Amino acid sequence: MSDAVTATVDARGPKKGIDWFPYVVAILSGIILVVFLAYPIGKTTLYSFVLLDDDLTFGNLTLANFRNFIEVPLYTDALQNSITIAAWTTVATVVLALPAAYAVARIDIPYRTFLLTFSIIPLIAPPFIGAYSWIILFGNQGMIRRYFDILFGIDIPTIYGPFGIVLALSLHYFPFVFLFTQGALAASDPFIEESAHIMGAPRSRIMCSITFPLVIPAIGAGAVLVFVRTLGNFGVPAVLGKEYMVLTTLMVYQVNGYFNLNAASAIALANVALTLIAVFFLARIQRRRRFITVTSTTRAAKRHTGRGAKIAGNAYVWSLFILAVMPQIIVLFYSFAERWAGSLWPQRMGWGNYHHVLTELTEPIFNSIFLAGGATLLAVFFGTLAAYISQRKQFFGKWLLDMTIMLPFIMPGIITGVAFLTTFNTGILILTGTASIIMLAYFVRRLAYIFRAVSAAISQVDNKIDEASTICGAAWGYTMRRVTIPLVAPGMLAGGILVFSTLIIELSITIMVYSADWQTMSVLMFEQLLDDQIEYATATGSIAIILTISLVFAASRLVGKSMADMFR
Amino acid sequence: MPDHVLTLQGLTKVFSTDRGPITAVDKVDFDVRGDEFFTMLGPSGCGKTTTLRMIAGLETSTAGKILFNDEDFTRFSAFRRNIGMVFQSYALFPHMTLFENAAYGLRIRGLDNDLIKKKVAEILALLGLDELAERYPADLSGGQQQRVSIARALVYEPGMLLLDEPLANLDAKLRVDMREEIRRIQKELGIMSIYVTHDQEEAMSVSDRLAVFNLGQLMQAGHPEEVYADPTSLFVADFIGKANFFPAHVTNRDGTGAKVSLNSGQELALSRLVEVRESEKADIVDGYDATLMVRPEHVEIGQPGKGEIDCHVRRIQFLGSFIRYIGKCSDATQEVIVDSPRAVPGIEEGSEASVTIHPADARLFHKGDGS
């Protein structure tokens, strides 16, 4: 009975020799990482130490670009402003989010699942569009300012400046703190609180001495994420800042105004330094407070049942979230206003703006989809391979691979943009003005997202399953194709959709590397805003928001997670 | 079925860790022949699983050789060794039906569809799984999943079958049934099998031969009854079955035998020393302090003063076919265990008693050896 099997076994070629395939794939991935990640970041770092128009030689190294931060008021102010904005935004998001997180976790809130889904809308929507809706309300010609002027004759202050930036960014980013904290509260062990209760502690005491201290790492993670994102945000300070400059707007100013890439690199490095300090701080919090409080128990912690607590909790949570999506609702409303000049209400409503956007501006929309799609495919391919290698192989210098890939994760997008512009503008590989520079910058920026998603998926799959396939006689490629990839496919796909949905509205990188031939939806919106074509900008923005929400929804169905969990 | 021979020669594995190199497997030699059921047994971290993984090719050896039918296997990729393996976690492919799981190895070998169907049907029938072919692993019980993983490992008629603690995740009753089932199928197909477990009862009951590992070293290999009756080290004596240990002073070494005196002053004449490792036998000379080992069924309990060693009976357990007396005794390093086929009159929990050793069944070891 064994003849047939034995014959085919023998026909499978020589038994000796190495399966080269995994090594070839690993080396290829390594080259991609070096050329498009390590090289640009390294070159940008070096560039910041030479002056504009100087060659990159040892003798030309100088700290002049950094001396600006001490000597030039424009730089000093931008640095101070960035820190101020980031610090206030972080404080504001924590203050806004903590009561909401506690209420959602510990008070009966009707339509809770809906609320959690709702909470990611501010995160998905492009922040500069949200910022613009504040101009619609409180700008020079803002709706509410006009109402107050017409109805009561009161001149209320405009939204421009640091207060407006902090307001817009806080409402945009607070869901990070909210989702992290709420998740930690929901997962914490109810028995810990109960044992405190049995020992005689009143609720308020339990909240201060047990509940919140235990979720400090989650709050810290959310807060640091907000700090880092705020530092890297370009759109909001660009729309609301006017003369109030921060590091990101200064960077764009140096590039678009003077094409001074060396100065921009130095600003980028300063920005990264601030980011690293924040990340280091987070690591400290998390190391000092590493508790295991998450439990597999299905029992939820005891909820407040008092009428007063319920009313207060519901009122707070719902008003906060309605306020947070208000910018998007205003954008949506404005997108239907065909004519609205100097009156309380639009003169004409209809689909005209959409008609205009979809017929005359199809190219930027197509460009966005093409560039984001290509970058997503690249990121899924290399992100998956890198995640596989990092999770499943032991080799020297593995930490270097992990660190290189995760670098853009903590680096603001605009810095990736500067790095690509600096690196591929001259030298061996000139990509400036092409589609590939945008696509590759997107790819590098989002690689870490796929890497993380797929790493998590792979760590869920028992290594023994791969080994079982090997033992059955499958070479590495066959095992990958038939076993490993099919098992992590949902994670890859969900990660891919999420990346795609964030890339079609990407502004920070795009503003640096785009060219006239490759205008994207986000750049188009931004220019429409600057040109005061608000009705078109809002229509484009609405399309982008709805497209993004649908994609995230599809991704969440695919992995069977709630939409809120996709962001935790 | 050809008469396969697997030979391990000085197989060694050194893992480099942050705290320096750790020798997980230290110069292991053994061979397995034909349709033998060979078990590697030992406490966790003893190197048995690492040895199995080196045979499978999932771990590369640091030194030594693995020969299969005189062909050097050592540097073959795992997927080219034509081995079947069953994992503790079953490691079934969760996205494939039971049929596709079982057919996997045949598809890799490029068999045509009709032959695959026939062979999978045969193996599923052998394991009593024919009804479940279209189910997914998640819909199967633990025992059924284990059968599927055995079917998957056997269907392509591998040169040998490796089993890595395959029963550890099953409940006690099923574990006993499955081990008999595995042995039945193994003998029916006549396939060489190498089994890893830390459960000595399991190893004793299913193996043709077993090998006891400790700290990366192969301590002893042989038939189960031989390893039990004639352990060559204190470690094996202690690990396999129950044992009593007494300090003993050699008073009269004589050829293959020796006279020893116990702490109580009683003298015992031992007829054989052959079980002690050859290299250590020479050390056992007059005046040497050694350890005497004797199995619970080779000691008797009786009234105080009757036997060699006095003890205080702490606990009496009725274990069905025999009665176990557990006593505390000033002369022994551990508790003294006496298994008696019937209750001894006058001995109760809390009473004083004495123990008689059968010299013919007692063994002499180096003090502190192997532990």
Side-chain angles (χ1 to χ4, degrees), chain A residues 434-485:
Chain A
T434 63
S436 47
I437 192 169
I438 310 177
M439 201 184 275
L440 286 167
Y442 282 180
F443 154 67
V444 164
R445 173 88 179 114
R446 290 289 186 262
L447 184 63
Y449 290 71
I450 304 284
F451 178 77
R452 267 183 27 146
V454 179
S455 289
I458 289 177
S459 71
Q460 298 286 308
V461 177
D462 186 358
N463 189 19
K464 297 273 190 301
I465 292 181
D466 289 14
E467 290 184 355
S469 169
T470 307
I471 290 288
C472 283
W476 182 81
Y478 192 93
T479 302
M480 278 299 268
R481 195 154 45 83
R482 288 293 311 275
V483 177
T484 317
I485 297 290

Side-chain angles (χ1 to χ4, degrees), chain A residues 363 367 371 421 431-438 509-520 523 527:
Chain A
E363 207 182 298
N367 285 347
L371 293 168
L421 202 59
L431 299 171
T432 310
T434 63
S436 47
I437 192 169
I438 310 177
I509 301 173
T510 324
I511 202 82
M512 283 287 168
V513 292
Y514 88 98
S515 50
D517 289 342
W518 288 96
Q519 208 188 28
T520 67
V523 172
E527 287 184 348

Side-chain angles (χ1 to χ4, degrees), chain A residues 146-159:
Chain A
R146 237 179 299 154
Y147 288 156
F148 273 82
D149 190 29
I150 295 169
L151 298 175
F152 316 112
I154 303 172
D155 187 23
I156 52 173
T158 61
I159 197 75

Side-chain angles (χ1 to χ4, degrees), chain A residues 17-296:
Chain A
I18 304 170
D19 188 6
W20 284 107
F21 197 38
Y23 299 98
V24 172
V25 170
I27 289 166
L28 188 71
S29 310
I31 291 172
I32 295 278
L33 282 181
V34 168
V35 173
F36 294 113
L37 227 163
Y39 176 55
I41 291 171
K43 197 169 168 186
T44 309
T45 311
L46 288 178
Y47 253 60
S48 62
F49 292 99
V50 291
L51 286 170
L52 179 63
D53 298 330
D54 273 1
D55 286 331
L56 194 59
T57 59
F58 190 76
N60 283 340
L61 292 185
T62 168
L63 287 172
N65 291 318
F66 294 99
R67 209 177 301 133
N68 289 342
F69 287 111
I70 304 165
E71 290 171 358
V72 182
L74 187 67
Y75 278 67
T76 321
D77 289 349
L79 181 64
Q80 268 177 12
N81 292 347
S82 264
I83 296 172
T84 310
I85 295 285
W88 277 111
T89 306
T90 307
V91 170
T93 50
V94 172
V95 169
L96 287 176
L98 285 196
Y102 186 79
V104 172
R106 297 294 152 85
I107 294 174
D108 245 339
I109 304 248
Y111 306 107
R112 223 172 41 187
T113 334
F114 170 76
L115 193 79
L116 283 171
T117 307
F118 204 61
S119 71
I120 64 160
I121 291 178
L123 291 180
I124 293 175
F128 65 97
I129 282 283
Y132 203 82
S133 67
W134 293 105
I135 294 183
I136 296 173
L137 294 179
F138 294 103
N140 286 332
Q141 295 300 314
M143 251 164 79
I144 294 183
R145 287 192 78 231
R146 237 179 299 154
Y147 288 156
F148 273 82
D149 190 29
I150 295 169
L151 298 175
F152 316 112
I154 303 172
D155 187 23
I156 52 173
T158 61
I159 197 75
Y160 300 104
F163 175 76
I165 299 175
V166 171
L167 177 74
L169 286 172
S170 304
L171 287 176
H172 179 63
Y173 286 133
F174 86 86
F176 278 129
V177 184
F178 167 76
L179 285 171
F180 283 22
T181 312
Q182 188 268 335
L185 283 173
S188 69
D189 187 346
F191 295 116
I192 297 177
E193 282 179 38
E194 273 170 21
S195 56
H197 198 69
I198 286 165
M199 283 185 264
R203 277 210 90 119
S204 54
R205 171 112 195 212
I206 293 174
M207 194 176 2
C208 297
S209 63
I210 307 226
T211 314
F212 277 116
L214 282 181
V215 294
I216 280 179
I219 300 172
V224 168
L225 190 59
V226 170
F227 188 84
V228 168
R229 292 286 184 105
T230 306
L231 275 180
N233 189 292
F234 162 73
V236 174
V239 169
L240 291 175
K242 288 204 163 168
E243 305 87 47
Y244 189 85
M245 276 217 180
V246 295
L247 290 177
T248 48
T249 41
L250 183 64
M251 235 184 286
V252 175
Y253 179 71
Q254 288 295 341
V255 172
N256 289 356
Y258 306 98
F259 209 69
N260 187 345
L261 292 175
N262 306 70
S265 297
I267 303 168
L269 218 60
N271 199 327
V272 170
L274 289 178
T275 306
L276 283 178
I277 291 169
V279 172
F280 174 76
F281 190 64
L282 174 69
R284 268 185 69 104
I285 296 179
Q286 291 188 324
R287 205 177 14 236
R288 278 227 311 269
R289 298 185 159 263
R290 208 183 304 149
F291 317 117
I292 300 167
T293 55
V294 174
T295 162
S296 53

Side-chain angles (χ1 to χ4, degrees), chain A residues 1-2 5 8-9 12 14-17 462 464-465 467-474 478 482-483 486-487, chain B residues 53 56 58 76 78-80 83 85 87 89 91-96 104 108-109 111 115 119 152 156-157:
Chain A
M1 107 172 201
S2 64
V5 181
T8 49
V9 169
R12 286 165 65 231
K15 286 188 174 181
K16 288 214 172 157
D462 186 358
K464 297 273 190 301
I465 292 181
E467 290 184 355
S469 169
T470 307
I471 290 288
C472 283
Y478 192 93
R482 288 293 311 275
V483 177
L487 289 177
Chain B
R53 288 172 62 82
L58 297 171
F76 281 15
F79 72 97
R80 292 196 164 112
I83 282 174
M85 186 159 174
F87 294 87
S89 57
L92 296 178
F93 307 128
H95 58 307
M96 295 182 194
Y104 191 77
I108 291 164
R109 286 163 176 74
L111 266 62
L115 195 56
K119 285 193 167 293
R152 182 181 65 184
Y156 48 88
E157 294 158 37

